[in-house]
């Protein structure tokens, strides 16, 4: 167990315990322990109120679990894409996932009432399919005769993002005030109101996307040397591209569906891990998952506490807190910032 | 010692009285803790004189001014469960559109009574709100008094003379984005209020609230402009409207027929609806 990964596991555990223990409803630690013990059939002899138990088990715990899953997925997707493109600016938004998901979600918000669809289920499913469709389109455009050009993929991503943004603009024009406000809040992300049922639906997709990504560490390391070197080392580069893009679409699409659009986590966590532990993907991939999870759970805790009893959108917090911190790191390490392919 | 004795009867009486008060309050639902969602819901609670029960409101509850002093649980369509639970409410009065639904379900699971307050963009909606809210608060008799007063306002409105022989064509402006005015089309609460006051909506080409190009403003040729008071201040009053090339050529601005209104009250269809319609009809008659 690498030292950095050990520290990140400890950090994530600490943030999760804080996040379970703190919130607008004050629940003393002994009661939290008692509620959790009662859940598995143990009686600790500490009494608690029913609303405390509901708050902890049905409101807070699902948020923490969702934060871990989505934050981890965003971190891994970001790390894998940065490794694949050998570009420190690569993140899931770059290949169209987020904008495709946003467009589909808005389309459902505007037309859903007309189609008599239950928005609660239709929106996440549409967001997932929209993100997937955008990525497939980008990937197909960039693939000629079985070879995928990374540069074309970036350009196609930019074009698909522009078209999706324009179409989103059309929907914004056509939507009424409330639909617009709903959509804007959704684009800022949030872990609130999530239920165990929703997590049950989304978790398999997220886990299916995250776990196989860890097995891409070796080929991604080979890619750090350059495409031709990787080919010489026996890496099937196109298969790696397919897998990275597919897994990113899966995880980010499912993440967007459950928690809206949360920027910044996928972009920044891989950098932080590389700063701590160097560019080896065997550390960077799991590290980005752990740190992304800790970052999102921590941001959600702040979002719940700062303006209590109201809540801030979590995407606002990740960018507000993460942005300046990341900027400070960049300024501090200007000379030795490890970039995907750089030394 | 003696002084203590002298106070003893009074003290005993005070204790007896407070015990009695406790017993009474245990019966009456005056100890209810209520969170009110939606501006017109909160107005209704205040109009019933039940504001003492409120422990929290949403972001849109800014009238009366006292509502702003209460804890704010955020935007009523993107609520957080735990924030509301932290106020330990017994009852949540939820305006139409409150949510997300999962949050309301979690509140119910935590033992909070969630009462859906109906929406609707017509004067009857105000009375429906009063009925539901008064019943939920256990103040049916106050509710009947308030219903009667709203009903009396509506009858007073019906008895008022119309502004003129022909309903003046009014343009309802509630916002401005860049060079376009955000106006009310058909099938809107704004149109319902204009008609209630005796005006006609000058815009009939589309439904809902939309940005209107300057040329369409000219073509609509409104005889009156009904505009959000804060927006009018930001635009620099009637003189500011006259500096807008499209509005400047409308009969309304040329004759100075601009009526500022409180947009939240105007579109809320709560206890003030009939009063605001009366005010607007009076303003139309004066201009």
């Amino acid at each position: 167990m690498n030292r950095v990964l050990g520290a990140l596991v400890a950090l994530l555990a600490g943030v999760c315990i804080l996040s379970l223990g703190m919130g607008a409803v004050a629940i003393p630690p002994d009661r939290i322990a008692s509620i959790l013990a009662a859940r598995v059939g143990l009686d600790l002899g500490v009494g608690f109120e029913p609303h405390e138990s509901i708050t902890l088990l049905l409101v807070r715990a699902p948020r923490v679990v969702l934060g871990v899953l989505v934050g981890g997925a965003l971190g891994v997707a970001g790390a894998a894409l940065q490794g694949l493109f050998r570009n420190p600016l690569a993140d899931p938004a770059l290949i169209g996932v987020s904008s495709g998901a946003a467009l589909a979600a808005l389309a459902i918000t505007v037309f859903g009432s007309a189609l008599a669809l239950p928005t609660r289920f239709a929106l996440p499913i549409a967001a997932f399919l929209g993100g997937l469709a955008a990525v497939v389109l980008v990937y197909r455009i960039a693939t000629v005769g079985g070879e995928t050009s990374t540069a074309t993929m970036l350009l196609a991503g930019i074009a698909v993002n522009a078209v999706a943004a324009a179409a989103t603009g059309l929907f914004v024009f056509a939507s009424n005030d409330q639909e617009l406000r709903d959509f804007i809040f959704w684009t800022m992300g949030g872990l609130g109101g999530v239920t165990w049922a929703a997590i049950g639906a989304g978790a398999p997709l997220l886990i299916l996307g995250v776990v196989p990504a860890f097995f891409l560490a070796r080929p991604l390391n080979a890619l750090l040397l350059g495409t031709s070197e990787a080919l010489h080392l026996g890496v099937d580069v196109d298969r790696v591209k397919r897998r990275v893009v597919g897994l990113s679409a899966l995880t980010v699409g499912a993440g967007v569906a459950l928690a809206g659009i949360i920027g910044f986590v996928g972009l920044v966590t891989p950098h932080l891990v590389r700063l701590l532990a160097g560019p080896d993907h065997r550390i960077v991939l799991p590290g980005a998952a752990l740190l992304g999870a800790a970052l999102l759970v921590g941001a959600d805790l702040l979002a719940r506490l700062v303006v209590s009893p109201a809540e801030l959108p979590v995407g606002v917090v990740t960018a507000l807190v993460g942005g300046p911190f990341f900027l400070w790191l960049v300024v501090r390490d200007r000379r030795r910032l490890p970039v995907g392919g750089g030394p | 010692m003696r002084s203590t004795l002298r106070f003893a009867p009074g003290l005993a009486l005070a204790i007896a009285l407070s015990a009695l008060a406790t017993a009474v309050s245990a019966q009456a639902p005056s100890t209810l803790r209520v969170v009110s969602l939606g501006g017109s819901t909160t107005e209704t609670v205040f109009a019933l004189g039940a504001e003492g029960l409120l422990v929290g409101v949403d972001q849109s509850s800014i009238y009366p001014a006292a509502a702003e002093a209460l804890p704010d649980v955020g935007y009523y369509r993107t609520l957080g469960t735990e924030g509301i639970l932290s106020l330990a409410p017994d009852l949540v009065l939820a305006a139409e559109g409150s949510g997300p639904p999962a949050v309301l379900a979690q509140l119910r699971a935590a033992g909070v009574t969630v009462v859906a307050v109906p929406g609707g963009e017509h004067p009857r909606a105000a009375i429906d709100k009063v009925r539901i809210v008064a019943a939920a608060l256990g103040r049916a008799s106050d509710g009947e008094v308030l219903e009667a007063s709203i009903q009396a306002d509506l009858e007073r409105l019906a008895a008022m003379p119309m502004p003129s022989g022909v309903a003046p064509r009014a343009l309802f402006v509630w916002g401005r984005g860049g060079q376009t005015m955000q106006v009310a089309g058909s099938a809107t609460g704004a149109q319902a209020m204009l008609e209630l006051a005796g005006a006609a909506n000058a815009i009939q080409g589309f439904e809902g609230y939309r940005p209107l190009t300057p040329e369409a403003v000219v073509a609509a040729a409104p005889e009156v402009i009904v505009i959000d008071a804060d927006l009018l201040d930001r635009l620099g009053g009637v003189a500011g409207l006259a500096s807008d090339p499209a509005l400047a050529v409308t009969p309304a601005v040329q004759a100075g027929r601009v009526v500022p209104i409180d947009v939240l009250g105007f579109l809320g269809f709560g206890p003030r609806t009939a009063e605001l319609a009366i005010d607007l009809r009076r303003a139309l008659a004066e201009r």
Side-chain angles (χ1 to χ4, degrees):
Chain A
M1 187 69 170
N2 172 287
R3 255 184 332 126
V4 171
L5 290 185
L8 289 175
V9 168
L11 173 74
L12 177 59
V15 171
C16 286
I17 288 168
L18 273 182
S19 194
L20 265 184
M22 294 169 76
V25 177
I27 313 176
D30 58 337
R31 290 192 175 193
I32 288 182
S34 183
I35 292 166
L36 294 175
R39 189 74 191 81
V40 293
L42 293 170
D43 184 6
L44 296 189
V46 179
F48 53 81
E49 301 290 323
H51 80 261
E52 291 175 337
S53 164
I54 296 230
T55 300
L56 189 70
L57 299 175
L58 295 186
V59 180
R60 252 184 236 172
R63 291 184 85 143
V64 173
V65 171
L66 183 67
V68 169
L69 287 171
V70 173
L74 289 170
V76 169
L81 286 166
Q82 285 176 12
L84 175 67
F85 289 113
R86 276 166 301 171
N87 180 334
L89 296 177
D91 80 331
L94 199 72
I95 51 169
V97 184
S98 312
S99 60
L103 174 61
L106 185 57
I108 281 289
T109 312
V110 174
F111 291 133
S113 45
L115 298 172
L117 289 167
T119 311
R120 221 184 332 170
F121 302 109
L123 192 136
I125 293 165
F128 175 67
L129 294 176
L132 203 61
V135 174
V136 168
L137 182 64
V138 167
Y139 189 80
R140 292 293 293 274
I141 291 171
T143 307
V144 181
E147 294 227 346
T148 312
S149 152
T150 315
T152 313
M153 193 142 66
L154 285 179
L155 289 172
I158 289 169
V160 166
N161 276 336
V163 173
T168 302
L170 282 177
F171 280 121
V172 163
F173 174 80
S175 56
N176 66 36
D177 227 32
Q178 285 195 327
E179 287 165 347
L180 196 61
R181 283 201 73 149
D182 287 354
F183 173 71
I184 289 181
F185 270 103
W186 185 81
T187 59
M188 294 190 290
L191 305 181
V194 67
T195 56
W196 286 117
I199 290 180
L205 292 175
L206 289 163
I207 293 165
L208 267 178
V210 169
V211 175
F214 297 149
F215 296 101
L216 292 169
R218 203 172 293 277
L220 284 173
N221 278 347
L223 266 175
L224 284 179
L225 306 167
T227 311
S228 52
E229 286 81 354
L231 284 168
H232 282 302
L233 289 170
V235 175
D236 183 346
V237 176
D238 274 322
R239 201 172 66 176
V240 174
K241 284 180 189 169
R242 265 199 309 279
R243 288 200 173 164
V244 169
V245 170
L247 294 175
S248 306
L250 194 66
T251 51
V252 178
V256 165
L258 285 171
I261 295 180
I262 298 167
F264 206 78
V265 177
L267 178 68
V268 166
T269 43
H271 283 283
L272 294 177
V273 178
R274 280 195 296 268
L275 281 170
L276 290 169
D280 182 350
H281 283 96
R282 284 172 303 181
I283 309 297
V284 172
L285 288 170
L290 292 166
L291 190 59
L295 186 65
L296 192 54
V297 173
D300 182 57
L301 176 61
L302 278 178
R304 292 190 280 128
L305 292 178
V306 177
V307 292
S308 169
E311 278 179 27
L312 285 171
V314 75
V316 173
V317 180
T318 51
L320 263 183
V321 176
F325 174 68
F326 187 59
L327 202 56
W328 170 76
L329 271 180
V330 169
V331 170
R332 198 195 61 171
D333 292 318
R334 242 177 312 200
R335 283 186 190 75
R336 46 181 205 83
L337 199 65
V339 166
Chain B
M1 182 70 209
R2 188 184 296 170
S3 61
T4 316
L5 278 177
R6 201 174 41 187
F7 283 119
L11 200 63
L13 182 66
I15 290 170
L17 272 179
S18 70
L20 184 67
T22 312
V24 169
S25 69
Q27 289 161 0
S30 63
T31 49
L32 266 186
R33 296 175 60 86
V34 180
V35 171
S36 166
L37 306 173
S40 59
T41 313
T42 305
E43 269 188 52
T44 305
V45 174
F46 272 83
L48 288 165
E51 65 270 23
L53 307 181
L54 288 174
V55 294
V57 294
D58 75 308
Q59 220 174 50
S60 68
S61 299
I62 57 174
Y63 184 92
E68 285 204 85
L70 290 160
D72 172 4
V73 299
Y75 180 50
Y76 80 119
R77 294 175 72 82
T78 57
L79 298 163
T81 310
E82 196 178 331
I84 295 175
L85 284 179
S86 73
L87 303 170
D90 309 297
L91 172 67
V92 171
L93 298 169
E96 196 179 44
S98 300
V103 168
L104 298 184
Q106 285 177 336
L107 290 171
R108 287 196 177 98
V112 179
T113 307
V114 179
V115 172
V117 179
E121 300 193 313
H122 45 83
R124 291 290 316 171
I127 291 175
D128 295 342
K129 279 174 195 168
V130 170
R131 196 165 294 163
I132 299 277
V133 170
L137 296 174
R139 303 211 168 190
S141 58
D142 294 333
E144 280 161 24
V145 173
L146 181 56
E147 269 184 56
S149 95
I150 294 175
Q151 197 63 54
D153 282 337
L154 286 171
E155 280 158 19
R156 197 152 57 90
L157 175 68
M160 276 177 81
M162 277 291 180
S164 64
V166 183
R169 286 176 315 104
L171 177 73
F172 179 85
V173 181
W174 65 273
R176 180 185 175 157
Q179 281 310 299
T180 55
M181 294 287 165
Q182 300 275 352
V183 306
S186 54
T188 56
Q191 176 166 311
M193 282 298 282
L194 291 174
E195 286 167 359
L196 195 59
N201 190 353
I203 303 293
Q204 288 302 329
F206 55 77
E207 290 189 358
Y209 300 90
R210 295 262 180 276
L212 195 65
T213 60
E215 288 176 34
V217 172
V218 176
E223 294 158 318
V224 182
I225 288 177
V226 177
I227 182 166
D228 175 37
D230 291 343
L231 176 67
L232 186 62
D233 287 344
R234 284 202 301 276
L235 296 175
V238 180
L241 292 187
S243 71
D244 180 293
L247 286 171
V249 299
T250 58
V253 171
Q254 289 186 338
R257 282 190 301 261
V258 176
V259 185
I261 47 109
D262 161 15
V263 75
L264 280 168
F266 198 78
L267 300 180
F269 294 92
R272 287 186 293 157
T273 291
E275 273 174 67
L276 290 166
I278 288 171
D279 291 347
L280 180 56
R281 183 173 295 192
R282 198 172 291 132
L284 291 172
E286 283 165 8
R287 290 172 171 85

